[in-house]
């Protein structure tokens, strides 16, 4: 009876990890294709900072799942205690990292308030100075989401103008409306925007825009996170049971 249970657990673990292996291989292949694709899709992704970052995240996740599935499959089907131990340690590290991230997110949740972002923007933003990482990131966010500041253009009234600024305007170029929401997109009317004509500016704050964009996915992301943690927990239990059952 014990041998039948062990055999059943072995093949279930193999099947489970085979699907993880296939999923990782698909993500890895897709990530590589997006980054090196010669047909022009790469240029579309590179023009959007969020898509560009997403492609590398997808590549890293694919590689991790590919390795995880491989270790689990080989360890289960060959009844290799060393591979099963590696699989267990790998899952444990991922589990602890995710748990740590969740705890840190809870501890520092007050740093995600509108007031915190407004204070940081007014303190560190250097307008069109793209050599500054903070300013460049904010400009990319404002262009991508067609928004302006945390609350709106008024956030930049306290930000000093650059000495070589051609127009006396507190509104940065990144807040001006574009035909295409990318750095290469043509301005609708840059001069009118910088002289303060509101209909050529993105007036809505980024905090509200981004919150509305991701609001529908918050509960889904939470449910997925709980599901992933549960699967990882069961995978560790199965790996240890199989490890102990192998003679």
């Amino acid at each position: 009876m014990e041998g039948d249970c062990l055999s059943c657990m072995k093949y279930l673990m193999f099947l489970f990890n085979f699907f993880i292996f296939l999923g990782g291989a698909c993500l890895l292949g897709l990530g590589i294709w997006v980054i090196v694709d010669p047909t022009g899709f790469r240029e579309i992704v590179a023009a959007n900072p969020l898509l560009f970052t997403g492609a590398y995240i997808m590549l890293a996740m694919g590689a991790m799942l590919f390795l995880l599935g491989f270790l689990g499959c080989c360890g289960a089907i060959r009844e290799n205690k060393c591979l099963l131990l590696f699989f267990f340690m790998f899952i444990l590290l991922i589990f602890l990292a995710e748990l740590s991230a969740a705890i840190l997110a809870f501890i520092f949740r007050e740093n995600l308030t509108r007031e915190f972002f407004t204070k940081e923007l007014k303190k560190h933003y250097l307008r069109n100075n793209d050599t500054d990482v903070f300013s460049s990131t904010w400009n990319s966010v404002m262009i991508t989401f067609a928004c302006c500041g945390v609350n709106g253009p008024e956030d930049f009234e306290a930000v000093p103008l650059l000495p070589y600024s051609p127009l006396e305007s507190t509104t940065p170029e990144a807040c001006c409306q574009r035909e295409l929401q990318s750095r290469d997109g043509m301005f609708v009317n840059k001069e009118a925007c910088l002289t303060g004509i509101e209909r050529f500016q993105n007036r809505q704050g980024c905090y509200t825009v981004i919150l509305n964009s991701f609001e529908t996915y918050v509960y889904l992301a939470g449910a997925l996170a709980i599901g992933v943690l549960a699967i990882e927990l069961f995978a560790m239990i199965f790996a240890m049971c199989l490890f102990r059952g192998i003679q």
Side-chain angles (χ1 to χ4, degrees):
M1 188 70 176
E2 189 180 338
D4 290 340
C5 283
L6 192 65
S7 181
C8 180
M9 193 178 292
K10 179 177 79 171
Y11 288 111
L12 278 174
M13 190 169 171
F14 172 80
L15 190 65
F16 173 74
N17 282 286
F18 181 68
F19 284 117
I20 290 177
F21 177 80
L22 284 180
C26 289
L27 278 178
L28 191 62
L30 189 62
I32 292 170
W33 176 73
V34 167
I35 290 165
V36 303
D37 172 50
T39 60
F41 190 70
R42 181 187 174 188
E43 280 68 28
I44 297 170
V45 172
N48 189 321
L50 290 177
L51 287 178
F52 190 67
T53 305
Y56 278 99
I57 291 172
M58 185 167 59
L59 191 68
M61 283 182 65
M64 185 180 70
L65 289 173
F66 182 85
L67 180 60
L68 191 63
F70 177 78
L71 286 173
C73 281
C74 291
I77 208 69
R78 294 173 63 87
E79 296 186 6
N80 188 306
K81 295 184 82 168
C82 183
L83 287 176
L84 283 171
L85 187 61
F86 269 119
F87 175 81
F88 175 83
M89 294 302 293
F90 197 14
I91 287 272
L92 182 62
L93 285 172
I94 295 168
F95 184 83
L96 291 174
E98 289 170 348
L99 205 58
S100 301
I103 292 166
L104 286 172
F106 179 78
I107 292 169
F108 294 105
R109 67 191 183 282
E110 66 275 6
N111 287 349
L112 299 177
T113 60
R114 187 187 293 269
E115 292 73 23
F116 173 80
F117 286 119
T118 304
K119 185 181 74 174
E120 290 298 300
L121 179 70
K122 290 178 178 179
K123 185 178 178 181
H124 300 292
Y125 185 68
L126 299 176
R127 297 188 177 272
N128 298 325
N129 184 357
D130 284 340
T131 57
D132 177 64
V133 176
F134 182 88
S135 304
S136 178
T137 303
W138 257 106
N139 287 337
S140 296
V141 167
M142 290 191 290
I143 291 168
T144 302
F145 287 95
C147 55
C148 189
V150 179
N151 309 289
E154 62 274 11
D155 288 345
F156 299 101
E157 290 173 4
V159 177
L161 290 167
L162 293 172
Y164 52 84
S165 180
L167 295 166
E168 287 295 318
S169 172
T170 59
T171 306
E173 285 183 14
C175 288
C176 294
Q177 290 181 5
R178 298 170 186 249
E179 293 174 5
L180 180 68
Q181 299 308 318
S182 75
R183 285 183 175 271
D184 298 325
M186 296 289 291
F187 289 100
V188 174
N189 191 330
K190 181 180 172 181
E191 288 73 22
C193 166
L194 295 179
T195 50
I197 299 176
E198 293 185 3
R199 66 192 181 95
F200 295 109
Q201 298 174 349
N202 295 315
R203 304 291 301 174
Q204 198 167 13
C206 293
Y207 191 88
T208 302
V209 171
I210 294 172
L211 208 62
N212 291 340
S213 299
F214 291 104
E215 190 176 17
T216 52
Y217 303 105
V218 169
Y219 295 111
L220 178 62
L224 281 173
I226 292 168
V228 167
L229 286 171
I231 289 168
E232 288 170 354
L233 195 58
F234 280 114
M236 285 190 288
I237 293 167
F238 277 9
M240 272 297 99
C241 288
L242 199 56
F243 179 86
R244 289 172 63 86
I246 295 170
Q247 302 301 322

